[in-house]
């Protein structure tokens, strides 16, 4: 997952974009970047690292201007080299820069078409392909000042050609900010506004509403699937549906794990959806495991805490925060390699023995993906003196790769792939385990917004909403993105040609 921000303001935007990226840091820890427009020229700073490390005071001083976009990256295509950090830039037409969250599923075909159109894509990133696709469509107009209709026609043409997931913010020099969401609305995007002291309006788009809250913008609404928003250089807001057949299918994993609990996505509070997941799973445990001997419910920080508390309530059992999280270590799952992920679990979490000694504990996590966390945490619970260790997952078994912006490209890396609950339980070393049913997970979110009739649930059921993902595509993805292939590519790739990046 990545986080994106775009602002057209009446003040310098560097600090506001920085602050917004800081609260979107949970969506991507690998690289960060900001582009602003200063007197008709782009200013860029992007590098690998967390927001607080990438932008030094000297970079902030150079990022002048009242319009800009920002990005935090969790790579799901190409390499994790700094040259594939975002925003990406093309110099024609006008000068355009993109921040993209999501992942295209027809990158190779689009790349070939772009080559025939004599456009150059310099990296292996799908986001650079998407930028060039939009640039090609925008270039079909010859007016010096783009109209909103011309921008929307270009976005409509992108929708017709691009497949996969994309929520994007694009700055166009002297024209304005364009933001849009793919026709399924797989990745989130919100629109906000702030009134300046002089009564003029500033606009902001962001991946999550929490970014608007943090910098004092008022939430206006979610951008609809397929819809585009254009804020012109003279600060006028235009919006239009640009997809022929939009169909709301937001990614359910945003609610399970990715998004911050204090965000609202597609009119659903992420926090409330997690509480609901706890209600459903608690009821299932009560129903199917009537004579359980659980003494205490313990969450695996941080994402599962709200879920575990509700399970404890349902089971009428104590809830104890038996693991302490080192607040200086980021999220484990979105780290780039398995070795790094394994090492960080023990550095990140430590057990308080008194909560485990001689007890039968139910550990609760939001999801089990590779099993990196659950395997080690069960070992730690036993070392801390637990008698029996049971395990509950608020998401069902994850058995299929994700192709829409979550880096789970290979089914073999998923612990639940080809295994039943008993086998998974044995591998992670639990005395018993329970997974949420998919119907319950969907209901936990859908009950909070009945207008959403469908979710993107492919990691659980193998149904890919874009209907273009077959086994040969998944095999190709595996060859490109298994852990070994990624490590090899990252060794080979150096920096590429790009807009001047302040170092
Ligand atoms: O089965 P795995 O491959 O280990 O992946 C699943 C784990 O990773 C995530 O935690 P993470 O540490 O990323 O973040 P959190 O602190 O927000 O829970 C998630 O919450 C699970 O705990
Ligand atoms: N997780 C994401 O949204 C990634 C965006 C893009 N596919 C990249 O790899 O940079
Ligand atoms: Mg976790």
């Amino acid at each position: 997952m990545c986080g994106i921000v775009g602002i057209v303001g009446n003040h310098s935007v560097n600090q506001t974009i920085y602050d917004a990226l800081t609260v979107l840091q949970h969506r991507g820890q690998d690289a960060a970047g900001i582009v602003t427009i200063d007197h008709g020229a782009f200013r860029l700073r992007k590098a690998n690292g967390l927001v607080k490390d990438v932008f030094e005071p000297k970079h902030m001083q150079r990022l002048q201007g009242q319009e800009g976009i920002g990005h935090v990256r969790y790579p799901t295509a190409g390499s994790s080299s700094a040259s594939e950090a975002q925003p990406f830039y093309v110099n024609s037409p006008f000068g355009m820069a993109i921040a993209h969250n999501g992942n295209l599923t027809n990158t190779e075909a689009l790349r070939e078409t772009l080559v025939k159109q004599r456009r150059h894509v310099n990296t292996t990133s799908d986001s650079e392909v998407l930028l060039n696709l939009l640039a090609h469509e925008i270039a079909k107009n010859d007016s010096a000042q783009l109209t909103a209709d011309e921008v929307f026609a270009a976005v409509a043409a992108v929708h017709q050609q691009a497949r996969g997931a994309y929520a994007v913010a694009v700055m166009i020099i002297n024209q304005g900010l364009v933001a849009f969401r793919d026709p399924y609305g797989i990745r989130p995007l919100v629109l906000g506004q702030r009134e300046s002291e002089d009564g003029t309006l500033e606009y902001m788009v962001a991946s999550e509403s929490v970014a608007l809250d943090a910098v004092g913008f008022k939430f206006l609404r979610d951008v609809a699937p397929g819809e585009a928003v254009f804020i012109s250089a003279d600060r006028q807001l235009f919006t239009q549906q640009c997809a022929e057949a939009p169909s709301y299918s937001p990614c359910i994993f945003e609610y399970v794990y990715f998004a911050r609990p204090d965000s609202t996505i597609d009119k659903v509070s992420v926090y409330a959806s997690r509480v609901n997941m706890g209600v459903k799973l608690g009821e299932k445990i009560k129903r199917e495991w009537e004579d359980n001997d659980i003494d205490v419910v313990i969450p695996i920080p941080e994402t599962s805490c709200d879920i575990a508390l509700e399970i404890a309530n349902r089971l009428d059992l104590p809830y104890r925060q038996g693991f302490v999280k080192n607040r200086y270590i980021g999220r484990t799952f979105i780290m780039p390699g398995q070795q790094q992920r394994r090492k960080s679990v023990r550095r990140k979490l430590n057990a308080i023995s008194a909560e485990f000694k001689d007890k039968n504990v139910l550990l609760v996590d939001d999801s089990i993906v590779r099993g990196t966390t659950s395997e080690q945490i069960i070992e730690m619970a036993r070392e801390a003196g637990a008698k029996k260790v049971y395990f509950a997952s608020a998401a069902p078994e994850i058995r299929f790769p994700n192709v829409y912006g979550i880096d789970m490209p290979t089914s073999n890396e998923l612990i639940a792939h080809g295994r039943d609950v008993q086998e998974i339980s044995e591998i992670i070393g639990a005395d018993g385990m329970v997974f949420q049913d998919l119907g319950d997970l969907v209901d936990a979110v859908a009950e909070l917004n009945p207008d959403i009739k469908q979710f993107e649930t492919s990691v659980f059921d193998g149904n890919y909403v874009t209907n273009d993902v077959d086994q040969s595509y998944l095999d190709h993805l595996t060859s490109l993105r298994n852990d070994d292939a990624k490590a090899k590519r990252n060794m080979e790739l150096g920096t590429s040609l790009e807009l001047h990046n302040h170092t």
Side-chain angles (χ1 to χ4, degrees):
M1 207 57 47
C2 296
I4 65 168
V5 179
I7 299 180
V8 177
N10 298 327
H11 304 87
S12 290
V13 286
N14 48 7
Q15 190 62 43
T16 317
I17 296 178
Y18 177 100
D19 293 342
L21 289 181
T22 306
V23 293
L24 293 177
Q25 188 77 81
H26 60 283
R27 299 183 68 83
Q29 300 169 170
D30 207 64
I34 295 177
V35 150
T36 58
I37 301 178
D38 178 20
H39 294 96
F42 279 129
R43 305 283 172 231
L44 168 70
R45 165 67 181 164
K46 61 178 180 179
N48 287 111
L50 299 175
V51 175
K52 70 176 173 51
D53 301 320
V54 167
F55 304 100
E56 297 167 29
K58 66 179 186 194
H59 303 123
M60 296 298 282
Q61 273 156 21
R62 289 177 196 138
L63 290 168
Q64 290 302 322
Q66 303 190 344
E67 300 150 282
I69 56 176
H71 191 264
V72 283
R73 182 171 190 230
Y74 158 54
T76 57
S79 79
S80 47
S81 134
S83 61
E84 300 204 17
Q86 300 192 33
F88 273 104
Y89 160 75
V90 279
N91 71 349
S92 172
F94 304 108
M96 299 171 61
I98 194 171
H100 166 219
N101 171 209
N103 206 67
L104 300 184
T105 51
N106 63 339
T107 309
E108 294 317 317
L110 290 173
R111 189 187 294 274
E112 280 166 28
T113 311
L114 287 166
V115 169
K116 287 188 198 130
Q117 291 161 342
R118 302 192 190 180
R119 292 202 74 94
H120 173 65
V121 179
N122 207 53
T123 69
T124 49
S125 162
D126 60 326
S127 310
E128 195 189 3
V129 167
L130 184 58
L131 173 61
N132 275 275
L133 178 60
L134 179 67
H136 179 76
E137 295 302 328
I138 295 271
K140 289 180 178 166
N141 305 288
D142 50 17
S143 47
Q145 205 63 45
L146 287 171
T147 64
D149 284 346
E150 287 168 336
V151 170
F152 294 143
V155 174
V158 167
H159 286 332
Q160 278 163 16
Q161 298 166 76
R163 295 287 168 272
Y166 46 95
V168 301
V170 179
M171 284 297 331
I172 312 179
I173 296 241
N174 291 335
Q175 310 296 319
L177 171 71
V178 190
F180 52 94
R181 211 171 160 193
D182 67 71
Y184 294 91
I186 298 173
R187 304 269 70 100
L189 189 64
V190 294
L191 171 66
Q193 142 194 318
R194 184 168 73 177
E195 200 178 316
S196 305
E197 306 82 56
D198 62 2
T200 52
L201 292 174
E202 302 178 288
Y203 291 99
M204 172 168 170
V205 290
S207 297
E208 290 183 35
S209 61
V210 66
L212 303 176
D213 299 343
V215 297
F217 274 72
K218 195 173 106 211
F219 172 83
L220 285 180
R221 61 184 179 82
D222 297 283
V223 176
E227 188 186 27
V229 170
F230 176 52
I231 300 134
S232 59
D234 59 355
R235 308 305 193 248
Q236 290 208 63
L237 172 71
F238 302 89
T239 62
Q240 187 166 299
Q241 177 52 257
C242 297
E244 272 169 23
S247 137
Y248 237 124
S249 312
C251 169
I252 205 149
F253 213 64
E254 290 280 348
Y255 298 98
V256 170
Y257 167 71
F258 266 106
R260 263 182 49 153
D262 46 343
S263 282
T264 297
I265 297 179
D266 292 319
K267 300 196 181 127
V268 174
S269 146
V270 174
Y271 169 78
S273 77
R274 288 193 188 146
V275 170
N276 239 359
M277 288 172 210
V279 172
K280 309 263 180 213
L281 188 54
E283 292 298 334
K284 177 172 177 180
I285 296 172
K286 230 162 116 176
R287 220 173 33 240
E288 297 188 0
W289 211 356
E290 226 177 320
D291 53 351
N292 72 73
D293 55 357
I294 304 165
D295 297 316
V296 58
V297 178
I298 296 180
I300 299 170
E302 177 167 343
T303 302
S304 70
C305 294
D306 303 323
I307 302 166
L309 178 59
E310 201 49 43
I311 293 179
N313 285 341
R314 294 283 138 176
L315 299 179
D316 217 3
L317 285 169
Y319 164 86
R320 292 279 187 272
Q321 299 212 344
F323 290 106
V324 176
K325 184 184 154 197
N326 177 346
R327 70 182 66 193
Y328 302 102
I329 298 208
R331 300 184 110 181
T332 315
F333 171 69
I334 60 174
M335 288 176 177
Q338 184 59 5
Q339 228 182 349
Q340 206 181 339
R341 286 190 291 262
R342 270 199 75 79
K343 270 200 268 172
S344 62
V345 175
R346 274 185 187 258
R347 286 188 199 147
K348 180 170 153 177
L349 299 170
N350 194 25
I352 298 174
S353 302
E355 294 297 353
F356 292 88
K357 198 154 177 37
D358 299 328
K359 290 184 187 160
N360 297 333
V361 299
L362 174 67
L363 305 185
V364 177
D365 212 343
D366 50 87
S367 56
I368 302 177
V369 183
R370 297 177 180 91
T372 321
T373 308
S374 41
E375 208 178 325
Q376 294 188 62
I377 215 87
I378 290 174
E379 226 172 73
M380 286 161 69
R382 292 200 196 283
E383 284 164 15
K387 270 198 302 192
K388 286 188 190 163
V389 185
Y390 302 114
F391 205 98
S393 164
E397 299 90 317
I398 294 176
R399 296 208 162 100
F400 301 91
N402 186 287
V403 299
Y404 300 127
I406 305 175
D407 200 27
M408 307 178 192
T410 310
S411 40
N412 290 338
E413 291 173 8
L414 304 170
I415 193 164
H417 177 73
R419 298 196 176 100
D420 62 20
V421 179
Q422 183 56 34
E423 289 166 319
I424 302 166
S425 179
E426 277 164 26
I427 291 186
I428 65 171
D431 292 298
M433 75 184 299
V434 57
F435 285 90
Q436 183 98 267
D437 294 332
L438 182 55
D440 280 347
L441 173 64
V442 169
D443 287 350
V445 187
E447 280 166 8
L448 301 165
N449 180 0
D451 290 343
I452 306 177
K453 305 285 180 224
Q454 175 176 256
F455 288 88
E456 202 301 298
T457 54
S458 54
V459 294
F460 306 115
D461 59 12
N463 293 330
Y464 296 88
V465 285
T466 53
N467 281 328
D468 60 336
V469 176
D470 56 18
Q471 194 53 46
S472 72
Y473 178 75
L474 293 176
D475 292 344
H476 173 63
L477 201 64
T478 301
S479 68
L480 284 179
R481 293 204 61 78
N482 63 63
D483 272 341
D484 290 346
K486 264 185 280 185
K488 189 159 174 271
R489 194 172 42 250
N490 287 337
M491 295 277 291
E492 285 165 1
L493 283 169
T495 45
S496 309
L497 276 177
E498 57 191 15
L499 172 72
H500 178 68
N501 182 15
H502 290 287
T503 49

